[in-house]
Amino acid sequence: MRPWTPQRVLDAAIVMEWRPDGASEVLTDGYRLIRYPDWALDPSFPAAQVTRSRLSRPADAVIDEVLARVRQWGLLGVAWWVSDATWPADTEDRLRARGGKRIDAVQILACDLRDGLPELGIPAGVTVELVRDERTFRAASMVTVRGWGRKEPSEQDIARDLTDAIRDLAAWSGFRVVASVDGAPASSGGCTLNGEVAQLWGAVTLPAFRRRGSYRAVLAERLRLARDHGTELALVKGRVETSGPILLRAGFTDYGEERCYWLSR
């Protein structure tokens, strides 16, 4: 049984980078720039993002190159993620010097499921369901759209995404769950099963139901199902000011921080 060393965890975190259908990607030997499709955007999710950079050239030259691409796309700027693995080491300083404003930060958090499942103390009145049909899919979709402030999807989009969700569930390559408080949908979240790793993503709770245990219910059910289907490690990027503290209390270990800077073109 191989140990989950910090390097193995960080390598697994790189694989989590999301490239949805309809995205445009610029992938060089030094950085990855993604232009996300409009349907994936919300007020906290910019359209253009440098998800990682490890450069052999001076940071300013690459920043100029990325901004030129962003201008071609007709966007107002780019979100640039940095971490301890970013190179050169002064990339974050150069972003700030050029007017970059920090807009987000996440922790890379992992939990070894071979050690057992955490006890999360789900309150009475909170229930959780696997998304496996149109009713549960629409409930989870409603929570996701309103929780993240996205545009309401069309019926065509709903039909397409429902088909994809049922297909992924049939193969157990991925799944979603939805939690309700006293019968009202309150939280939802997804999980992608990638070999030994359960990649947790997209968890959100409607404001009216926060601090009532529905997020913990969504977390607990995803961990249980992931372990039941053969994964060893649960991996998630939790926001420092919201989900991160909950995950740490649940027994996740912190493997480092990623910070995001907004740079106008």
Side-chain angles (χ1 to χ4, degrees):
M1 187 168 60
R2 295 177 62 195
W4 281 98
T5 63
Q7 189 58 56
R8 281 191 74 200
V9 172
L10 293 175
D11 289 344
I14 292 174
V15 179
M16 286 186 69
E17 292 179 359
W18 185 43
R19 187 185 184 279
D21 292 341
S24 300
E25 179 180 49
V26 178
L27 184 62
T28 75
D29 58 358
Y31 65 88
R32 186 188 195 207
L33 169 66
I34 299 179
R35 198 298 188 199
Y36 290 94
D38 291 344
W39 67 262
L41 306 182
D42 62 52
S44 66
F45 196 79
Q49 300 185 36
V50 174
T51 60
R52 64 177 183 268
S53 56
R54 193 164 180 83
L55 313 172
S56 58
R57 294 179 284 156
D60 280 304
V62 180
I63 291 171
D64 289 338
E65 181 179 306
V66 168
L67 290 177
R69 176 74 66 168
V70 169
R71 284 192 290 272
Q72 290 177 359
W73 286 338
L75 300 175
L76 297 178
V78 62
W80 197 303
W81 289 90
V82 297
S83 70
D84 290 345
T86 300
W87 186 261
D90 69 345
T91 300
E92 189 168 6
D93 291 337
R94 295 312 307 153
L95 290 169
R96 285 196 295 255
R98 296 181 60 150
K101 304 297 183 183
R102 180 165 160 170
I103 59 171
D104 204 353
V106 297
Q107 294 166 288
I108 299 171
L109 302 168
C111 179
D112 193 333
L113 300 178
R114 297 172 299 184
D115 297 334
L117 297 175
E119 176 52 57
L120 296 177
I122 310 305
V126 177
T127 57
V128 62
E129 295 179 274
L130 179 65
V131 172
R132 61 195 323 157
D133 54 25
E134 183 174 355
R135 177 186 63 81
T136 50
F137 179 83
R138 284 184 177 273
S141 179
M142 181 276 291
V143 171
T144 298
V145 169
R146 297 181 186 177
W148 291 117
R150 295 176 182 169
K151 294 187 295 185
E152 293 287 340
S154 67
E155 286 298 314
Q156 181 179 3
D157 290 338
I158 290 174
R160 179 201 64 212
D161 293 345
L162 172 60
T163 298
D164 291 345
I166 299 301
R167 179 200 62 212
D168 291 345
L169 180 61
W172 276 103
S173 59
F175 63 88
R176 295 170 69 181
V177 300
V178 58
S180 299
V181 176
D182 297 328
S187 297
S188 68
C191 179
T192 297
L193 304 178
N194 184 14
E196 300 169 306
V197 180
Q199 303 169 346
L200 307 183
W201 48 266
V204 65
T205 300
L206 296 178
F209 296 102
R210 288 174 185 165
R211 297 180 178 84
R212 297 180 64 180
S214 58
Y215 178 92
R216 280 177 281 146
V218 164
L219 174 61
E221 186 67 357
R222 288 183 295 169
L223 295 180
R224 184 187 70 81
L225 289 169
R227 191 180 71 161
D228 286 352
H229 287 84
T231 61
E232 297 181 357
L233 188 81
L235 184 62
V236 62
K237 294 184 179 182
R239 280 194 164 86
V240 171
E241 296 180 354
T242 54
S243 60
I246 300 173
L247 292 158
L248 289 170
R249 289 195 298 270
F252 279 68
T253 299
D254 185 354
Y255 287 90
E257 184 178 274
E258 295 180 353
R259 299 167 296 282
C260 187
Y261 287 83
W262 172 257
L263 190 64
S264 298
R265 66 177 190 177

